[in-house]
Amino acid sequence: TFPRGAGRAQMRARAKRLVMELANRARLRTHAMVTPSPVQVRFAGGLVSFTFDDVPRSVLGGALPTLEEAGFAGTLYVAGELSQQSPFVSADQLMEVEQGGHEIGDHTWDHRPLLKRSPGDLRASLNRNAQYLRRAIPDLSLRSFSFPRGSLNPLAKGELKRFSSARTTAPGINAGHTDRYSLRAEKLYS
């Protein structure tokens, strides 16, 4: 409140200080959530990572056997709700995929873009997906995450700290200093 008789200039100055104070508080609160988590990327011979989002069943008969024949493995990012539908890899098939040396990564339960969800809603979706995947593969260690539809939300980073990395669909190569929770990718389709 302003004292009776306060002039417009005094009210504006006080309002401006209040706005600046609130903005500073908000900046301090969000700093921890959006601060990059840098990692130095160094591979003398280079590195290629083959990943599959949503995991259609066609991956089982095409891409994975091809990778295995060449001595490689891939990462399959599974959204539990999708895997209960055709044409996606089912929970029953995930154990065999993981035993074949491929990594299973988290892709949220319901595949909703992160920009449209609160941290609490994201936490619930990640927990539900982890429970679903661990029912299929009891000793599963979820180390990586892929943003559904590439929808990066810097405010969600706090929830993603449970993973060692998170991949976007932003094009590019990860070299030098990069953010482990904002890894780039190049899309390949057949």
Side-chain angles (χ1 to χ4, degrees), residues 110-158:
D110 50 14
H111 202 260
R112 284 187 24 232
L114 268 62
L115 286 175
K116 297 182 178 182
R117 46 188 351 149
S118 69
D121 181 46
L122 174 59
R123 183 181 320 112
S125 183
L126 292 171
N127 289 341
R128 185 172 183 188
N129 203 44
Q131 289 171 352
Y132 172 79
L133 293 171
R134 288 189 180 115
R135 276 195 302 274
I137 308 168
D139 295 328
L140 180 65
S141 173
L142 290 168
R143 298 181 311 271
S144 61
F145 177 81
S146 177
F147 292 92
R149 299 186 178 106
S151 176
L152 174 64
N153 181 350
L155 296 177
K157 279 185 157 182

Side-chain angles (χ1 to χ4, degrees), residues 88-109:
F88 301 101
V89 171
S90 70
D92 295 336
Q93 296 166 313
L94 290 176
M95 175 73 88
E96 184 178 328
V97 167
E98 198 257 352
Q99 288 175 342
H102 303 282
E103 177 188 10
I104 305 297
D106 201 313
H107 204 39
T108 73
W109 167 255

Side-chain angles (χ1 to χ4, degrees), residues 20 58 65 82 173 182:
M20 295 300 287
S58 61
L82 289 180
I173 295 173
S182 203

Side-chain angles (χ1 to χ4, degrees), residues 12 21-22 33 48 51 64 74 78 89 96 109 136 143 147 172:
R12 276 192 213 129
E21 181 182 332
L22 291 173
M33 292 185 273
V48 174
T51 64
L64 295 187
V78 178
V89 171
E96 184 178 328
W109 167 255
R143 298 181 311 271
F147 292 92

